[in-house]
Amino acid sequence: MVNSSHEAMHRIFQEYPELFSGVSEVLGAPFPPPTSVRILPTDLTEARPLERRVDTLLHFDTEDDGSFLLAVEAQGKKDLTKPASWAYYLAYLYSKYQCPPVLLVVCQDRGTAEWAARPVHVGPRQWASLTLRPLVAGPHNMPVIRSAAEARKDLALTTLAAITHADSPDVAAILKAVSSALRETPEQLSYPLAELIAQGLGRRPAAQLWRHLMAVDLSFYKSPISEEIRDEGRAEGRAEGRADALLIVLEQRGVAVPDEARDRITRCGDPEQLRRWLARAVTAASVEDVFVEP
């Protein structure tokens, strides 16, 4: 099933195809900067009723090394069926376009990345007819970028680093560096990068840190995700204010509030629920009366 992190890990190459030059250099297999790039259809289905789609497919032209195809796959976990699919993709693309293909697999955990990087020999043990050798980008080899100055050198690479390090202890440093760098970046570039990071982090704990940085460091951004974050912040602020008001009313009326009830009130993030409790607190004889639904 495709999720937002999966989408961000390969879509960033559609938005910033020149990123592959920097990534390939990091991975020890440098490709020259492209002179032109075309996004190709990702449907690799044949006439048979078997659908096969690569995540992102790009055609690169270079000045000295000719052309090549880049197939980008976002891989969230080990899948023993994938090497066969990847080998099919490369053979199909080479046959269809008569252009050398390269497979880049992007991962967010080290175990999956190391699994994906293992060469797969297709054929009997006496003679492998094909060998699958993907390039793999993941937390084991993507850079940890800790300063805004370093982040500004290649914002797309820093964005991919943040996404691939989503579960790493280093992600907080990367997110702070990129948020600082984006403050001084033109809106037409900073918007999509900020959105890709939010999408790539998914529902991981680091996503909350990024939401906070967007709400504070990047408060001037106007986008669906940034507005959603601000709406959440406003809702949290309303909830916190109503929880405080509820406790003050109960205290002023002399109604005892045990620790368990106090914890229930302060942990409630629903402003409307707190409003109903606050209305009942004005006349409630006990804290239990506040929680009883009519």
Side-chain angles (χ1 to χ4, degrees):
M1 179 179 295
V2 176
N3 55 39
S4 60
S5 297
H6 178 281
E7 185 78 8
M9 282 192 285
H10 70 85
R11 190 165 64 84
I12 188 173
F13 290 92
Q14 296 179 25
E15 304 291 341
Y16 308 96
E18 68 280 0
L19 166 64
F20 180 64
S21 296
V23 171
S24 67
E25 186 173 350
V26 169
L27 301 182
F31 282 73
T35 55
S36 66
V37 179
R38 288 183 289 131
I39 298 177
L40 300 178
T42 60
D43 190 347
L44 309 184
T45 307
E46 294 183 291
R48 301 173 300 164
L50 177 62
E51 186 175 289
R52 296 180 186 271
R53 291 181 183 273
V54 68
D55 288 333
T56 283
L57 181 60
L58 302 171
H59 180 282
F60 284 74
D61 293 318
T62 68
E63 188 170 349
D64 299 320
D65 290 353
S67 303
F68 67 94
L69 302 176
L70 176 65
V72 184
E73 283 278 283
Q75 192 64 29
K77 61 182 179 180
K78 297 178 184 178
D79 182 348
L80 298 182
T81 67
K82 274 296 183 178
S85 296
W86 292 338
Y88 170 87
Y89 295 166
L90 294 176
Y92 178 91
L93 292 170
Y94 186 60
S95 174
K96 179 176 181 178
Y97 293 100
Q98 294 295 298
C99 187
V102 178
L103 173 63
L104 173 66
V105 181
V106 183
C107 306
Q108 289 178 296
D109 74 89
R110 187 185 183 100
T112 300
E114 291 177 344
W115 163 81
R118 296 172 185 170
V120 176
H121 304 292
V122 181
R125 64 177 180 81
Q126 294 90 341
W127 189 266
S129 300
L130 295 172
T131 299
L132 174 69
R133 295 176 60 231
L135 281 172
V136 178
H140 67 304
N141 58 10
M142 290 302 290
V144 176
I145 298 168
R146 299 179 182 275
S147 71
E150 188 179 1
R152 278 192 291 271
K153 292 177 183 177
D154 193 332
L155 286 168
L157 180 64
T158 304
T159 297
L160 185 65
I163 293 171
T164 55
H165 283 285
D167 292 315
S168 304
D170 299 313
V171 69
I174 298 174
L175 293 178
K176 184 59 180 174
V178 72
S179 72
S180 298
L182 290 180
R183 281 204 304 267
E184 303 169 12
T185 302
E187 294 180 359
Q188 63 268 26
L189 177 60
S190 57
Y191 281 10
L193 291 173
E195 300 285 313
L196 278 166
I197 292 174
Q199 189 177 33
L201 296 177
R203 297 184 177 278
R204 292 171 171 84
Q208 293 305 314
L209 172 59
W210 184 241
R211 287 174 175 270
H212 173 74
L213 290 171
M214 286 185 73
V216 178
D217 288 2
L218 311 177
S219 59
F220 49 87
Y221 284 178
K222 302 294 181 185
S223 67
I225 290 182
S226 61
E227 287 304 309
E228 175 189 333
I229 291 168
R230 291 183 193 107
D231 288 344
E232 289 178 2
R234 286 190 283 267
E236 289 172 3
R238 289 196 301 271
E240 184 177 346
R242 287 177 182 174
D244 289 342
L246 172 55
L247 291 172
I248 290 171
V249 168
L250 292 172
E251 180 183 347
Q252 291 297 313
R253 296 191 60 246
V255 176
V257 182
D259 290 343
E260 183 178 349
R262 182 180 297 274
D263 187 60
R264 182 177 177 183
I265 292 168
T266 56
R267 287 179 178 274
C268 180
D270 183 351
E272 289 305 308
Q273 179 65 74
L274 286 162
R275 185 187 62 79
R276 291 192 293 271
W277 288 348
L278 181 58
R280 293 179 203 142
V282 176
T283 57
S286 68
V287 73
E288 288 78 12
D289 293 340
V290 171
F291 299 135
V292 173
E293 296 292 339

